[in-house]
Amino acid sequence: MLSEALLVSAPGKVILHGEHAVVHGKVALAVALNLRTFLRLQPHSNGKVGLNLPNTGIKRVWDVARLQLLDTSFLEPGDVTTPTPEQVEKLKEVVDLPEDSANHKGLAVLAFLYLYLSICRKQRALPSLDITVWSELPTGAGLGSSAAYSVCLAAALLTACEEIPNPLRGGESTSRWATEDLELINKWAFQGERVIHGNPSGVDNAVSTWGGALRYQQGKISPLKRPPALQILLTNTRVPRSTKALVAVVRSRLLKFPEIVAPLLTSIDAISLECERVLGEMAAAPAPEHYLVLEELIDMNQHHLSALGVGHASLDQLCRVTMAHGLHSKLTGAGGGGCGITLLRPDKDQLRLIERKQHVQDQSTGCWGGSMRHGIRPPGCSSQLSRVHLRTRASPCRSSVAPSVRCPGGN
């Protein structure tokens, strides 16, 4: 068990193409954001386990002895257990969670307890510790906040229980886990996502774990080779929505209209593949015509997503406002509100871009805009010990001891 505090961080994500289609086995292209979630784990011996989520006002403390006595036999033995709906309901019952735990706050607590009990029950005694998680990512906006949360929890608990080695043991200030350790972090983070979302695709936790720009399909992850630097305007509609509910909407529509919806999903898959091809060409020799193709793909994908039933008036407004300025936008993530992305061309006058961003903010009800440059390959999950060291560079999941531990995939 750790004797020092551990700091872990993991990035959010933007999906370029493949939302919802990826749940049905199609390709998704996603990139890590330079907005991160941070977790601080403090081991102690007071017989308590605490969870503090200051962004959402959650603070819970449990007696380790009481948790130790719980009948958790419903948590199946194995390296990585997949929670069933019945197990999740049983967990609510045994830890006495309130009935309203179906909201995002309750689900965050539930995901923590599931991962804590599942990962730590191999220990002779459940560990006493305090976990505090805070984030630069807005919740429910399609930027992978729950995945970054699950990745941080999985990485910290696996390290605390010595299921994976602490990458900072050599005295480094910041380090990253080895590939096989990241794979285990990703598997457990996916189970946390299942508790929160029911039937997630797995792309969000993969990007948060590995960082960079990824191609994801049915659990298979491959990095995009030398992706070009794209400049993207990220706009938050501030319209809350539920990923679980929107995934269910698409599934229901697919069952009701299979001959209509299945071709839409196949077409979205083709858009992702074409985008991947264009990005590959741009890495070698970017040209203006590449941006024309990327803009067309954005427009087509947005129309397809609206046809799937995951659009929203606020996203339509964003598309109209940016189109009036010669820019092209689409939703990112589950849709139904949340965030939209707008592709910016590198040849545009920066002063005019600032004016356009302000216009988006003024015209799109409840929206804000901000430019983000991700060389489309920020790193992922990383770990640190002790001192909090905020970073705006997007990188993989990482860990640190005083300074910081980064996972592979970054610059």
Side-chain angles (χ1 to χ4, degrees):
M1 184 66 191
L2 282 177
S3 59
E4 301 176 273
L6 178 71
L7 178 67
V8 177
S9 72
K13 68 87 182 67
V14 160
I15 293 184
L16 300 178
H17 292 290
E19 293 95 341
H20 291 286
V22 70
V23 177
H24 301 276
K26 309 301 184 185
V27 170
L29 304 180
V31 60
L33 277 176
N34 57 351
L35 297 173
R36 301 182 74 86
T37 291
F38 301 85
L39 179 152
R40 188 176 190 273
L41 184 152
Q42 178 66 59
H44 50 64
S45 55
N46 65 357
K48 306 283 185 183
V49 57
L51 177 66
N52 182 19
L53 308 178
N55 289 72
T56 54
I58 292 173
K59 193 163 188 178
R60 298 289 301 269
V61 179
W62 298 269
D63 286 321
V64 169
R66 182 173 176 271
L67 292 178
Q68 194 83 47
L69 292 174
L70 291 176
D71 177 12
T72 57
S73 58
F74 62 91
L75 296 175
E76 298 172 6
D79 289 335
V80 180
T81 56
T82 299
T84 65
E86 294 75 22
Q87 287 174 333
V88 173
E89 289 305 311
K90 179 66 175 175
L91 182 60
K92 289 181 187 177
E93 180 185 323
V94 298
V95 298
D96 196 25
L97 281 176
E99 292 184 5
D100 66 352
S101 57
N103 63 30
H104 73 277
K105 293 183 180 182
L107 290 172
V109 174
L110 201 60
F112 165 72
L113 287 170
Y114 181 83
L115 292 174
Y116 172 75
L117 292 172
S118 298
I119 292 172
C120 300
R121 65 197 173 117
K122 292 181 181 179
Q123 306 290 306
R124 283 184 299 175
L126 291 171
S128 295
L129 48 86
D130 277 322
I131 283 183
T132 300
V133 186
W134 67 102
S135 186
E136 300 167 337
L137 295 161
T139 57
L143 301 182
S145 60
S146 66
Y149 172 71
S150 295
V151 168
C152 284
L153 285 176
L157 291 170
L158 286 166
T159 303
C161 294
E162 300 182 333
E163 293 293 314
I164 58 176
N166 185 345
L168 296 166
R169 279 182 174 167
E172 306 91 337
S173 61
T174 301
S175 186
R176 301 176 185 176
W177 284 276
T179 299
E180 59 271 23
D181 299 328
L182 287 171
E183 288 172 352
L184 186 59
I185 290 169
N186 188 46
K187 287 177 182 177
W188 275 113
F190 185 45
Q191 307 318 319
E193 281 280 84
R194 283 179 180 269
V195 172
I196 294 169
H197 294 304
N199 184 35
S201 66
V203 64
D204 289 16
N205 51 276
V207 176
S208 192
T209 301
W210 296 97
L214 303 177
R215 179 191 201 269
Y216 182 93
Q217 185 177 25
Q218 293 183 316
K220 295 180 181 177
I221 307 161
S222 56
L224 298 185
K225 296 176 182 177
R226 295 175 53 233
L230 295 184
Q231 194 172 26
I232 287 174
L233 179 69
L234 180 64
T235 304
N236 188 354
T237 68
R238 299 196 185 279
V239 175
R241 80 290 181 283
S242 162
T243 296
K244 182 185 289 188
L246 289 160
V247 168
V249 165
V250 175
R251 185 172 296 280
S252 174
R253 194 163 283 196
L254 176 61
L255 292 173
K256 188 175 182 181
F257 305 111
E259 294 184 359
I260 298 171
V261 175
L264 283 174
L265 297 175
T266 300
S267 183
I268 291 174
D269 187 55
I271 289 170
S272 297
L273 294 174
E274 178 64 9
C275 180
E276 183 180 17
R277 184 192 69 78
V278 172
L279 291 176
E281 287 186 359
M282 291 177 73
E289 51 266 30
H290 289 133
Y291 280 88
L292 292 173
V293 176
L294 292 178
E295 288 168 350
E296 282 190 83
L297 295 177
I298 283 172
D299 292 343
M300 287 189 288
N301 200 359
Q302 177 60 23
H303 288 305
H304 284 3
L305 290 164
S306 293
L308 290 177
V310 296
H312 189 272
S314 62
L315 293 163
D316 295 339
Q317 173 75 347
L318 170 64
C319 292
R320 284 194 299 270
V321 170
T322 54
M323 183 66 77
H325 290 275
L327 302 173
H328 299 256
S329 305
K330 65 177 284 291
L331 66 84
T332 184
C339 282
I341 56 173
T342 304
L343 178 64
L344 304 178
R345 290 199 189 189
D347 57 347
K348 297 292 185 184
D349 178 83
Q350 290 302 304
L351 181 59
R352 293 188 66 192
L353 284 178
I354 292 170
E355 292 173 351
R356 290 176 185 186
K357 291 174 201 171
Q358 185 60 48
H359 194 65
V360 170
Q361 182 175 342
D362 293 342
Q363 295 292 317
S364 302
T365 307
C367 297
W368 52 263
S371 173
M372 311 204 149
R373 244 191 115 70
H374 15 256
I376 302 198
R377 55 173 175 194
C381 175
S382 71
S383 142
Q384 302 169 233
L385 263 161
S386 212
R387 191 174 39 194
V388 174
H389 190 71
L390 295 180
R391 296 178 176 229
T392 53
R393 276 185 58 203
S395 43
C397 173
R398 54 182 190 220
S399 148
S400 27
V401 189
S404 109
V405 164
R406 281 194 279 192
C407 310
N411 301 347

